[in-house]
Amino acid sequence: MIKERLAAGNDVEQCKSMIVLKAKQWKGTHVEKFVRPRTLFGDNFSKYYAECYAYHRENNYFVDDKEENIDRDKLNQEIDILLAKIRVLQQYYFFLIYQ
């Protein structure tokens, strides 16, 4: 599912940002449990992807990292941790379905 989205030309970094944005937006809500690949990269992917892009434009995230002192390494570590958690959740989900 994710491979197909990337093969369609969607940017890896933008996909990571979309995952982080949805996780932040949904944290502590009844939809938090849906922060998983099937939901994020499924039928509503285009909507979530566009929403992330719009969010970043509205908040001026498209700036030079050096000027803004953004710690890209820390940000990438946090994204990698989130992606790892999503993979674990996905494995658990498949375990529950196919047990």
Side-chain angles (χ1 to χ4, degrees), residues 4 6 17 38 59 63 69 74:
E4 290 87 10
L6 296 176
S17 292
R38 187 175 79 180
N59 292 287
V63 295
N69 267 340
K74 183 176 179 183

Side-chain angles (χ1 to χ4, degrees), residues 13-19 21-22 46-58 61-62:
E13 293 303 316
Q14 188 70 9
C15 287
K16 287 180 180 180
S17 292
M18 183 261 302
I19 293 167
L21 177 64
K22 297 317 286 180
S46 296
K47 175 183 150 192
Y48 299 148
Y49 191 86
E51 182 182 314
C52 180
Y53 185 81
Y55 178 84
H56 285 147
R57 286 192 58 83
E58 289 171 10
Y61 286 168
F62 297 111

Side-chain angles (χ1 to χ4, degrees), residues 35-95:
V35 178
R36 59 185 183 205
R38 187 175 79 180
T39 302
L40 297 177
F41 291 89
D43 294 338
N44 289 324
F45 172 79
S46 296
K47 175 183 150 192
Y48 299 148
Y49 191 86
E51 182 182 314
C52 180
Y53 185 81
Y55 178 84
H56 285 147
R57 286 192 58 83
E58 289 171 10
N59 292 287
N60 296 316
Y61 286 168
F62 297 111
V63 295
D64 183 10
D65 294 350
K66 292 182 177 113
E67 289 180 19
E68 294 295 320
N69 267 340
I70 296 172
D71 187 349
R72 297 300 275 177
D73 291 333
K74 183 176 179 183
L75 180 61
N76 283 330
Q77 286 175 349
E78 290 174 7
I79 291 169
D80 289 340
I81 289 169
L82 181 59
L83 290 171
K85 288 179 180 180
I86 289 172
R87 284 190 292 274
V88 169
L89 288 172
Q90 184 180 27
Q91 290 170 352
Y92 179 69
Y93 176 75
F94 286 126
F95 171 77

Side-chain angles (χ1 to χ4, degrees), residues 25-41:
Q25 287 177 337
W26 294 353
K27 186 174 183 170
T29 69
H30 70 284
V31 292
E32 180 177 22
K33 61 186 172 190
F34 297 111
V35 178
R36 59 185 183 205
R38 187 175 79 180
T39 302
L40 297 177
F41 291 89

